[in-house]
Amino acid sequence: MKKIIAWTFIGYILYALAMTFYIWIASDTSIPSELAGTMADPATFLNEEELLLVDEYAKIRNTLYFLTLPTEWIFYFILLLLGGARAIQRWAERITKYKWIQAGIYLFWLTLFLTFVHFPFSYIRYQLSVKYNITVQPFSGWMRDQLVGFWEGILVMWIVVCVLYILIRKFQKWWWVISWLLFIPFIFLMMYIQPVVIDPLYNDFTELKDKELEEKILGLAAESDIPAEKVFEVNMSEKTNSINAYVTGVGGNARIVLWDTLLTKLNEDEILYIMAHEMGHYVMNHIVVGISGYILFSFFGFYFVMRVAKWSIRRFGERFHIQHLNQLASLPLLLLLVSLLLFVASPITNAVSRHQEHAADVYAIKLTKNPAPAIGAFQEITKSGLSEVNPPALIKFLRYTHPPMVDRISYLENYLEETDKHLD
């Protein structure tokens, strides 16, 4: 056991050194030579100090991401190996005979321990964001969001874990199928309540105050046959200097939301392009496609977790102090497998997301018929968030749900040039 733990940490150190070397020395973030001097070249819209800040911030942030990535897996593995998973179960069983309360106690301690593991990295990311003037949120506000997220996560997972283990105990062979069937309405429920229950826990949402701008945004929505009646703004200026907008929710709770920082840093045409981009997601049914794909993926995911979990208990159950899958002590094993599966699938889901984002860019150009403001908007997004214009290949592969700015801006510039040629 000591050797396994020792080699686990040695492996982590070697991995950390390899990733640090790749990010700081081996990777190439320079733009293609043919794009030098174009609007996609950060040297044309960032000064020398901003260029240095973008490079530093991206490298530090990417390093932190990869250092943090395996810590959750290592935590679950060590917890199982040392018998901690079983010990927490026994402690919960001594407190109460009620299974649903045992699940709550187990989740509290498991989440608390994992939070302690992640907190140093989360705090460093927060301080880094403050140092580079991305985050303006005071530490007290940041800690409040951490606490809200802690309890929100426990509450949601409590419901999930209680239902899951009831099914595992009652339907040993087909629990994964029934769980998947129940997972489908659960996804829609969470997406439905997200805008009206969960999001307001972190920020204040109001109707867009600029009614003239709202009228123009709703005009674009009408052109796209989107039955929108309101546009919402969120007070993100209390937390960040970066800018964003998004579509959230399903059915009657679907919302188009923009950050209030967007209103102060972009001009009207740039804002209209960003909102047209979000409308593109709605018109092309990206939310529906995303949910459908997630449901299909989750079917195979449940099957994979079931098969590997059963094999792991047969093969390593004695070492993990687990006899059956229906024990609460198996929860870290299930969470470990889910986390690993999501990571392995992330390159595919990221690629699909990047494709959808590009399609929304194209839709927004056709809707607004004015690509020039889009270029200005993307340049300002880069500047305000110190975004990396051309990330290393591995970073893009594993992290980017949007096309890199070099691709988005160069596409828009080419589109603008083609439009000018046709006009001539």
Side-chain angles (χ1 to χ4, degrees):
M1 186 181 297
K2 289 181 180 179
K3 286 183 179 180
I4 294 174
I5 294 174
W7 278 110
T8 298
F9 284 105
I10 290 172
Y12 174 76
I13 292 171
L14 293 175
Y15 156 83
L17 290 173
M19 292 309 306
T20 302
F21 175 81
Y22 172 77
I23 292 169
W24 288 86
I25 299 174
S27 62
D28 181 16
T29 59
S30 61
I31 65 168
S33 57
E34 63 271 17
L35 295 180
T38 66
M39 295 180 184
D41 184 351
T44 63
F45 59 90
L46 298 176
N47 59 41
E48 290 186 11
E49 181 182 2
E50 289 170 336
L51 288 170
L52 288 173
L53 289 175
V54 166
D55 185 61
E56 288 178 0
Y57 184 61
K59 285 180 176 177
I60 298 173
R61 187 174 55 177
N62 288 331
T63 303
L64 280 172
Y65 168 80
F66 283 103
L67 291 180
T68 308
L69 181 64
T71 56
E72 182 176 351
W73 307 335
I74 294 172
F75 166 75
Y76 289 139
F77 178 65
I78 298 298
L79 190 69
L80 289 164
L81 200 62
L82 295 180
R86 178 63 171 157
I88 299 174
Q89 178 187 321
R90 286 174 176 165
W91 189 79
E93 289 171 342
R94 285 197 296 268
I95 291 178
T96 179
K97 65 179 181 179
Y98 298 106
K99 298 290 187 183
W100 65 277
I101 300 180
Q102 291 174 11
I105 294 172
Y106 196 100
L107 270 174
F108 172 80
W109 286 108
L110 186 64
T111 306
L112 184 64
F113 292 148
L114 185 59
T115 300
F116 282 142
V117 171
H118 279 167
F119 185 81
F121 294 101
S122 299
Y123 180 71
I124 292 172
R125 279 194 296 269
Y126 165 72
Q127 288 294 342
L128 177 70
S129 188
V130 170
K131 177 183 177 182
Y132 283 87
N133 200 34
I134 306 298
T135 294
V136 295
Q137 185 180 26
F139 177 74
S140 59
W142 179 79
M143 275 301 301
R144 176 194 172 278
D145 286 349
Q146 300 301 304
L147 289 171
V148 170
F150 176 83
W151 289 109
E152 175 211 328
I154 287 179
L155 180 60
V156 173
M157 281 299 295
W158 193 357
I159 298 170
V160 171
V161 168
C162 284
V163 173
L164 179 65
Y165 277 90
I166 288 173
L167 295 176
I168 292 175
R169 291 170 186 137
K170 289 185 177 294
F171 307 97
Q172 295 183 19
K173 188 175 182 180
W174 298 106
W175 66 266
W176 64 278
V177 177
I178 302 171
S179 298
W180 174 72
L181 291 172
L182 292 176
F183 182 67
I184 297 173
F186 180 76
I187 291 176
F188 284 98
L189 174 64
M190 292 302 296
M191 292 194 68
Y192 188 80
I193 67 174
Q194 179 86 27
V196 294
V197 177
I198 297 176
D199 288 347
L201 295 174
Y202 299 92
N203 300 102
D204 295 327
F205 291 78
T206 59
E207 294 181 26
L208 184 61
K209 299 180 182 66
D210 187 338
K211 294 303 177 183
E212 186 176 336
L213 176 60
E214 182 181 47
E215 185 176 345
K216 292 181 179 180
I217 293 173
L218 293 178
L220 288 176
E223 288 184 47
S224 303
D225 295 323
I226 298 175
E229 298 179 356
K230 299 175 184 177
V231 178
F232 293 86
E233 65 176 277
V234 54
N235 63 330
M236 291 301 295
S237 57
E238 297 179 358
K239 297 182 178 182
T240 182
N241 286 319
S242 59
I243 56 183
N244 196 13
Y246 59 90
V247 177
T248 186
V250 292
N253 279 5
R255 289 182 175 183
I256 298 176
V257 181
L258 56 84
W259 291 9
D260 59 351
T261 50
L262 199 77
L263 301 172
T264 58
K265 295 193 174 186
L266 300 185
N267 62 42
E268 186 175 274
D269 287 337
E270 292 169 344
I271 294 172
L272 289 176
Y273 172 82
I274 296 297
M275 302 315 294
H277 170 97
E278 300 305 328
M279 293 174 193
H281 287 303
Y282 181 93
V283 171
M284 290 181 283
N285 297 310
H286 286 167
I287 295 177
V288 175
V289 171
I291 294 175
S292 301
Y294 194 58
I295 290 172
L296 179 62
F297 166 76
S298 65
F299 176 82
F300 296 101
F302 273 103
Y303 178 75
F304 168 83
V305 169
M306 180 272 295
R307 291 298 299 267
V308 177
K310 285 187 174 181
W311 174 84
S312 299
I313 292 174
R314 285 197 306 269
R315 181 70 174 80
F316 305 106
E318 186 176 348
R319 181 166 284 175
F320 290 162
H321 307 274
I322 304 173
Q323 287 77 44
H324 304 285
L325 188 60
N326 61 16
Q327 295 175 273
L328 271 175
S330 68
L331 182 59
L333 174 61
L334 296 177
L335 293 175
L336 171 60
L337 294 174
V338 169
S339 182
L340 287 170
L341 181 63
L342 291 175
F343 171 73
V344 171
S346 63
I348 298 174
T349 57
N350 288 346
V352 172
S353 177
R354 288 194 299 269
H355 172 77
Q356 290 182 337
E357 293 297 334
H358 174 69
D361 283 347
V362 175
Y363 179 87
I365 296 172
K366 293 178 179 178
L367 182 60
T368 61
K369 302 177 180 64
N370 189 7
I375 295 174
F378 287 148
Q379 290 176 338
E380 182 56 41
I381 289 172
T382 300
K383 183 182 296 187
S384 64
L386 295 181
S387 303
E388 198 168 17
V389 175
N390 190 33
L394 185 62
I395 307 298
K396 175 184 174 181
F397 187 67
L398 293 176
R399 298 201 65 189
Y400 271 57
T401 57
H402 290 60
M405 283 302 181
V406 66
D407 296 340
R408 302 180 85 173
I409 296 176
S410 61
Y411 175 84
L412 289 167
E413 189 171 12
N414 290 335
Y415 189 95
L416 184 61
E417 290 174 357
E418 289 297 322
T419 302
D420 292 340
K421 287 179 182 178
H422 287 305
L423 291 175
D424 291 340

